[in-house]
Amino acid sequence: MSGELEILEAAARDFDLEAADDFVDLRRLTAVIDRLDAKRCRVVAVATKRGDHLLTGKSATSWVASECQMSKTAAANRLCVGEQLAGMPKVAQALSSGDIGFQAASVICHLQQRVVEAGGSTDEAMWIENAGESSIKDLADVASSTWHAVDPTAFKAKVEEAHQRRQLCISECGDMYRLDGWLELTAGVAVKTAVESLCNRLGESDRRSPKQRRADALVEMAHHAMDQGTLPRRNGVRPHIAVHTTIEGLKGELGAPASELADGTSISSTTVQRLACDGTLHRILKADSMVIDVGRATRAISSPQRRGIKARYRTCAGPGCHRPVSSTSGHHVDFWTEGGHNNLRKILPVCYFQHRLVHEGEWQVVQFGQGYKFIPPERPVVSRRRWGERRWAA
Ligand SMILES: [Zn+2]
Ligand SMILES: [Zn+2]
């Protein structure tokens, strides 16, 4: 055994990673790597069967993960392949000869494990042929379907087990929020489908990356749900974003204190203007920190104005944007602290992305004939189109 290892180590040393010749046959190289991985699977299966991990007090999976320096998921995969390959000589041979790759063998081994548990067996030759003709995804789908046919109860139990592992963490992380989550397949498809329906580029000037568009789509869905007013009340009020500001802060006057979210986070005057553009204003007068008067809540855009906007527009007024007017907010061309709220002609429906462009992105909205033009800021803005590539956009 050690003799074999020494030969392999010597061969690996001779295989110079820095060699000028990078024109290596990828299929042959992959076959060598997969063959070695299969050998590793066999070694870990035999070692754990022998009980080597017991000496360390670790579970078999944890021990393999630690010895092979890989995640527990990858370790569990190696253990399964190692155990099943011992009873599947044709699959082991196809893997050794490079006829099928490691991932395909892994799919077949996992299926074999499940089918054996249900008291059946798999047709090795047929699955080797399937692996040669299908992508890994298609092979995994067929294997999953086969497992369902053989053992629907175990299949359902696996789905339920995945459902129990669902989680979503939303945490403040410096000057950003971070989302981490796991969803069962059908739930993930629901979120992905909804996000993707809002992910298209909005006009020629939309230079967001797909990742940025997905992030905006999720935020747009949250705003839309809150704007609809159909979310359940908490402590007697509909969910909304509360901002504390002063009239000076709202106008963005120099020297005005920063406006704050309810948790005390400071936000810029342009952001507070965007949020207030189509929000509800509660006037609260204070003297020496004591509330002395609370005025009636006033909507920045009244219900008749909102109906008027819907009658005038079918879509977002932003350039090249087709977002339906029902998914937009009202933007005051003259900010409403300057009296812009009285004139319906000066309220435009804009989608979340373009409303942000107008406020935080410093785009100008100027009258042009009977309509309005959206003009980007003149200073050049660096936008990262693809990884490592930078472009300049006016
Ligand atoms: Zn606005
Ligand atoms: Zn738009």
Side-chain angles (χ1 to χ4, degrees):
M1 180 60 139
S2 61
E4 275 180 22
L5 252 188
E6 279 154 15
I7 293 166
L8 275 173
E9 282 171 348
R13 269 196 302 276
D14 291 344
F15 191 80
D16 188 356
L17 284 180
E18 301 301 324
D21 180 13
D22 281 333
F23 293 97
V24 175
D25 185 320
L26 270 177
R27 280 183 175 268
R28 282 175 60 196
L29 180 63
T30 304
V32 171
I33 294 168
D34 284 356
R35 192 170 178 168
L36 286 173
D37 210 346
K39 175 73 178 178
R40 177 166 62 179
C41 293
R42 194 179 145 89
V43 170
V44 296
V46 170
T48 50
K49 199 170 180 185
R50 201 166 50 215
D52 289 9
H53 60 289
L54 298 174
L55 295 172
T56 64
K58 292 178 180 169
S59 69
T61 306
S62 295
W63 179 74
V64 173
S66 139
E67 291 299 305
C68 301
Q69 299 181 46
M70 57 176 58
S71 69
K72 284 186 183 176
T73 309
N77 185 27
R78 262 59 184 196
L79 270 171
C80 172
V81 172
E83 286 162 9
Q84 298 308 320
L85 273 187
M88 304 183 88
K90 287 180 188 163
V91 175
Q93 171 58 33
L95 182 58
S96 282
S97 61
D99 288 343
I100 64 170
F102 181 81
Q103 277 192 299
S106 168
V107 170
I108 299 171
C109 287
H110 277 83
L111 176 67
Q112 167 78 351
Q113 185 185 41
R114 287 160 170 170
V115 169
V116 167
E117 278 170 10
S121 65
T122 51
D123 181 338
E124 285 187 69
M126 187 195 82
W127 281 95
I128 291 167
E129 199 179 323
N130 283 349
E133 293 168 351
S134 322
S135 68
I136 297 296
K137 167 89 172 75
D138 289 346
L139 187 70
D141 286 346
V142 177
S144 186
S145 171
T146 304
W147 179 35
H148 184 272
V150 172
D151 194 351
T153 308
F155 186 93
K156 183 174 178 296
K158 174 83 169 30
V159 172
E160 279 311 294
E161 187 262 329
H163 178 65
Q164 291 306 323
R165 285 190 281 126
R166 71 197 183 282
Q167 55 174 290
L168 179 64
C169 302
I170 304 176
S171 46
E172 205 174 333
C173 206
D175 57 354
M176 301 283 279
Y177 263 88
R178 185 184 166 91
L179 271 66
D180 281 301
W182 286 96
L183 298 173
E184 64 179 292
L185 291 175
T186 48
V189 166
V191 174
K192 188 166 179 267
T193 306
V195 164
E196 283 179 349
S197 74
L198 295 170
C199 253
N200 51 326
R201 285 179 64 216
L202 300 174
E204 291 277 300
S205 55
D206 185 353
R207 293 192 169 86
R208 294 172 297 166
S209 67
K211 285 180 185 175
Q212 289 173 328
R213 292 202 300 267
R214 283 197 289 275
D216 286 351
L218 192 64
V219 178
E220 189 173 342
M221 280 163 58
H223 276 295
H224 189 62
M226 286 194 286
D227 291 347
Q228 292 286 299
T230 50
L231 293 174
R233 290 171 185 272
R234 289 185 72 188
N235 303 321
V237 292
R238 296 278 180 209
H240 63 283
I241 301 174
V243 181
H244 300 282
T245 186
T246 58
I247 198 71
E248 294 81 12
L250 205 50
K251 287 182 174 178
E253 288 182 0
L254 210 60
S259 306
E260 292 178 347
L261 295 176
D263 65 357
T265 308
S266 297
I267 55 172
S268 72
S269 60
T270 49
T271 301
V272 77
Q273 284 175 1
R274 170 168 58 82
L275 295 172
C277 212
D278 193 359
T280 302
L281 184 73
H282 296 262
R283 182 172 56 83
I284 299 175
L285 289 182
K286 284 184 176 180
D288 296 332
S289 305
M290 293 284 291
V291 175
I292 56 170
D293 178 38
V294 179
R296 280 182 56 196
T298 318
R299 291 227 62 173
I301 299 175
S302 66
S303 296
Q305 281 177 326
R306 213 170 286 279
R307 286 195 292 275
I309 293 168
K310 282 188 179 168
R312 291 166 71 95
Y313 296 92
R314 298 182 73 84
T315 64
C316 165
C321 184
H322 301 293
R323 197 66 101 224
V325 71
S326 57
S327 300
T328 62
S329 305
H331 170 66
H332 294 78
V333 178
D334 296 333
F335 190 55
W336 54 262
T337 51
E338 313 292 340
H341 62 296
N342 291 322
N343 190 346
L344 182 60
R345 287 177 171 278
K346 292 202 165 186
I347 304 175
L348 302 178
V350 282
C351 63
Y352 166 71
F353 165 60
Q354 278 158 335
H355 201 194
R356 207 181 175 287
L357 278 188
V358 169
H359 287 277
E360 286 98 325
E362 296 176 22
W363 279 52
Q364 303 271 332
V365 181
V366 294
Q367 195 147 11
F368 189 76
Q370 291 296 307
Y372 287 93
K373 256 194 148 178
F374 286 62
I375 301 171
E378 283 185 6
R379 61 182 164 74
V381 176
V382 179
S383 67
R384 189 169 283 190
R385 293 290 294 269
R386 281 194 289 271
W387 192 86
E389 181 193 353
R390 277 164 179 265
R391 288 190 184 175
W392 293 86

